[in-house]
Amino acid sequence: MSRKYNKHKCRRDVYRRRRRKRAGKKIAGAIAVILLSFIIIFRTSSQDIQSGFSQDPGDPQTLGTGTPWNLTLVNRQNPVPEGYRPNLTKIQGGEQVDERIYDPLMEMLEAAKEANGNQLPHVVSGYRTEGEQQRLYDNKISQYEKEGYSETEAKELAEQWVAVPGYSEHQLGVAVDINGEIYDVYLWLQENSYKYGFIFRYPGDKTQITNVAEEVWHYRYVGVEAATEIYEQGLCLEEYLNL
């Protein structure tokens, strides 16, 4: 009896050990699945969070406009897209521009220098914050009020020269005001800027469309292809985009 008992006992113990081993494997497998699920969820969440900060802030595709960054329209009717933050770089003189226009801008200024008696044009205004735009806007209104215009008249006159804060191309970082030592620089820019992707943004004969008085110093980057078509067809940016 004792031998049979011992045999049965041994078999029972082996069976129990195997069952415990199988159960242990199942528990370990379940834990592994749970841990893997947590890892996947965590990574996905982290990527979502990072994508909110790492997306190219100058790419309107991430802002829902569906328009290439270089053709983003900002005027009296179209504000700077919400959340738009250009990637800025400094240029000579301390002004800043979107880093994507730096090289063509430098090439254009150097070419203008060579073509105009070695007189290098200077960028006197590039990217502006909304606060800087507000200051310029307020100062222009104040200037007209001091000349005797009413507040309403002063605003109307000021807006022909200075954009309302939030509606200025300068806030995109792709527009520059250029100071030429001689007036011929401006004539050269009007005829040659398109080769570098820039357009004479506010021609005098387009004021009824742009709602901005002629600014011979203001140039806007749109890319060589668009700039060439705008130049050859005699359009302003609004007309080109409507096409």
Side-chain angles (χ1 to χ4, degrees):
M1 290 292 294
S2 60
R3 288 182 180 177
K4 289 182 180 181
Y5 174 77
N6 288 336
K7 286 181 180 179
H8 288 307
K9 184 175 182 299
C10 288
R11 288 175 182 170
R12 188 170 61 248
D13 291 343
V14 170
Y15 172 75
R16 286 176 177 173
R17 283 197 297 272
R18 287 178 178 173
R19 188 170 60 182
R20 284 198 296 269
K21 190 175 182 180
R22 285 196 298 268
K25 288 182 178 179
K26 289 181 179 179
I27 293 172
I31 292 173
V33 170
I34 293 172
L35 289 175
L36 182 60
S37 299
F38 275 118
I39 290 171
I40 292 172
I41 292 171
F42 175 76
R43 285 182 177 176
T44 302
S45 298
S46 298
Q47 289 171 355
D48 289 342
I49 292 171
Q50 290 173 2
S51 66
F53 293 95
S54 64
Q55 288 172 340
D56 179 359
D59 181 1
Q61 295 294 339
T62 66
L63 303 173
T65 67
T67 302
W69 66 272
N70 54 302
L71 294 177
T72 301
L73 178 63
V74 171
N75 55 19
R76 286 192 183 185
Q77 295 75 38
N78 297 276
V80 176
E82 186 177 354
Y84 194 103
R85 294 292 183 276
N87 296 318
L88 301 172
T89 187
K90 280 190 176 182
I91 59 177
Q92 185 178 5
E95 292 296 320
Q96 298 184 92
V97 296
D98 188 303
E99 62 183 9
R100 291 169 291 191
I101 78 166
Y102 178 85
D103 288 339
L105 175 61
M106 294 299 104
E107 291 172 10
M108 182 175 73
L109 295 178
E110 187 60 34
K113 172 185 174 182
E114 293 176 4
N116 291 277
N118 216 35
Q119 300 289 335
L120 179 66
H122 296 283
V123 174
V124 293
S125 185
Y127 170 75
R128 296 176 192 158
T129 64
E130 186 161 339
E132 290 171 329
Q133 189 65 29
Q134 184 72 56
R135 177 178 57 79
L136 291 172
Y137 180 71
D138 291 341
N139 287 345
K140 199 66 174 178
I141 292 174
S142 178
Q143 175 186 327
Y144 280 118
E145 287 179 333
K146 287 178 181 178
E147 293 177 10
Y149 293 97
S150 68
E151 181 179 351
T152 300
E153 292 171 333
K155 284 185 177 180
E156 290 178 355
L157 289 169
E159 288 173 13
Q160 293 180 25
W161 300 99
V162 181
V164 175
Y167 293 79
S168 171
E169 282 191 334
H170 282 281
Q171 290 176 238
L172 294 176
V174 298
V176 291
D177 289 346
I178 298 174
N179 181 26
E181 301 257 340
I182 56 177
Y183 194 81
D184 285 350
V185 169
Y186 299 119
L187 299 178
W188 184 91
L189 287 170
Q190 289 177 29
E191 293 299 319
N192 295 277
S193 61
Y194 73 92
K195 301 173 184 177
Y196 307 90
F198 288 84
I199 58 171
F200 175 29
R201 181 65 177 94
Y202 301 120
D205 61 348
K206 302 294 182 180
T207 297
Q208 293 301 315
I209 300 172
T210 64
N211 293 306
V212 178
E214 183 175 67
E215 295 185 355
V216 296
W217 54 84
H218 185 105
Y219 282 80
R220 152 76 194 261
Y221 185 83
V222 295
V224 174
E225 181 180 351
T228 301
E229 293 180 7
I230 289 171
Y231 172 77
E232 291 179 347
Q233 297 179 44
L235 306 172
C236 63
L237 183 58
E238 285 81 359
E239 291 174 311
Y240 175 77
L241 294 177
N242 282 336
L243 291 177

